[in-house]
Amino acid sequence: MMPDVTINHREKAHALLKADAEKILRLIEVQIENLTMPQCPVYEDVLDTQMFGLSREIDFAVRLELITEEEGRNLLGNLEKKLNILHEASQSTL
């Protein structure tokens, strides 16, 4: 009985963290689309705050053993890659 519940919680935790990562990506996309320069302090503050919050969520999920440390690193790493692509694309249009 318990393993099914554990698997369900793990899947849900992973899905929620992935959704939060996507929200950050969308937030940054909106800022770029609205011509907020990536060098802008507000842009950097939002990004830093959001990334810190997500990293704390991931750390909490790891400590609860809902995801592995590797899964957490992959979530953050994938988001960072996407954000770098967005940043580079915004730079090339300047």
Side-chain angles (χ1 to χ4, degrees):
M1 284 181 248
M2 288 302 285
D4 290 340
V5 171
T6 302
I7 290 169
N8 186 39
H9 285 326
R10 288 176 187 221
E11 289 172 357
K12 188 172 184 177
H14 197 271
L16 289 170
L17 291 169
K18 194 170 181 181
D20 285 350
E22 289 297 319
K23 283 181 199 171
I24 293 169
L25 186 61
R26 281 194 301 278
L27 177 67
I28 298 306
E29 284 174 336
V30 167
Q31 285 195 328
I32 289 173
E33 287 169 9
N34 290 316
L35 303 176
T36 302
M37 296 298 150
Q39 297 84 4
C40 175
V42 172
Y43 170 94
E44 290 179 8
D45 285 349
V46 168
L47 182 56
D48 289 348
T49 301
Q50 294 294 317
M51 292 297 286
F52 178 76
L54 181 61
S55 71
R56 301 313 313 145
E57 286 181 50
I58 289 171
D59 183 55
F60 185 68
V62 168
R63 288 169 40 212
L64 285 174
E65 298 180 357
L66 292 173
I67 65 169
T68 65
E69 283 186 44
E70 183 178 357
E71 288 171 317
R73 280 192 302 272
N74 288 341
L75 276 168
L76 279 177
N78 288 336
L79 177 57
E80 287 171 354
K81 285 179 195 169
K82 290 176 184 176
L83 290 170
N84 284 333
I85 290 167
L86 269 180
H87 180 76
E88 288 171 16
S90 72
Q91 293 297 320
S92 66
T93 59
L94 295 179

